[in-house]
Amino acid sequence: MIRTGIKAALDDLVFSRELTVQEAADRHFTPEYRQRTDGEWLDRDGFIEHITHLRTLVSHGEIEVHDELYDGSKYADRHTVHATKKDGSTVRLEVYVFADFGPDGRFSRIEEVSLMLQGADSDRGIASAR
């Protein structure tokens, strides 16, 4: 089993235009995937809808992983999202993730909280699936 990680998943989902959102989601997330971000739950369909919207706002960026832990089917990390929006403004968020993998190594559940370091409160969703 090859497990995914948050950097690979977010790079493919948000920053890679070679893949569709659906292709990126299929690569990194199980069909029953769900996510809670700052207290709000989304199912996989809501997640894909949100990422599709993010792609209309973000021109480029990078994920900087500070800490990452794999333990069997469990995953945790702390990362910073650096994003530049199409209007030229920048967003920087620090994100704390706890997740479960499905049997095939894709994420089946993520719970995360985010801390805005730079940008407006309305930019908070750039780092997450809400």
Side-chain angles (χ1 to χ4, degrees):
M1 168 180 69
I2 297 175
R3 293 178 290 192
T4 191
I6 205 70
K7 180 174 176 31
L10 289 176
D11 281 346
D12 283 352
L13 283 167
V14 182
F15 305 127
S16 175
R17 301 301 193 232
E18 295 82 37
L19 295 172
T20 67
V21 174
Q22 187 66 50
E23 290 169 333
D26 289 346
R27 181 179 288 181
H28 299 283
F29 301 90
T30 64
E32 66 278 359
Y33 177 74
R34 61 192 189 108
Q35 179 164 335
R36 182 171 72 168
T37 302
D38 296 330
E40 292 184 38
W41 282 102
L42 285 178
D43 62 11
R44 184 182 161 108
D45 290 339
F47 170 75
I48 289 171
E49 181 180 316
H50 177 72
I51 296 299
T52 300
H53 175 69
L54 284 182
R55 281 194 177 190
T56 69
L57 302 175
V58 174
S59 65
H60 63 279
E62 73 171 295
I63 306 301
E64 178 183 4
V65 176
H66 308 291
D67 301 294
E68 188 173 46
L69 174 67
Y70 291 88
D71 186 14
S73 65
K74 302 292 186 187
Y75 175 88
D77 94 349
R78 180 177 65 91
H79 66 273
T80 300
V81 176
H82 303 270
T84 301
K85 295 169 53 178
K86 291 182 179 178
D87 68 7
S89 63
T90 58
V91 178
R92 196 165 45 96
L93 291 121
E94 187 169 350
V95 184
Y96 300 82
V97 172
F98 293 92
D100 293 322
F101 291 114
D104 61 2
R106 295 182 294 168
F107 289 119
S108 62
R109 180 190 59 87
I110 288 180
E111 295 191 43
E112 66 181 27
V113 293
S114 60
L115 173 64
M116 180 65 70
L117 301 174
Q118 178 184 354
D121 272 345
S122 61
D123 294 327
R124 186 171 298 280
I126 286 179
S128 65
R130 52 176 192 106

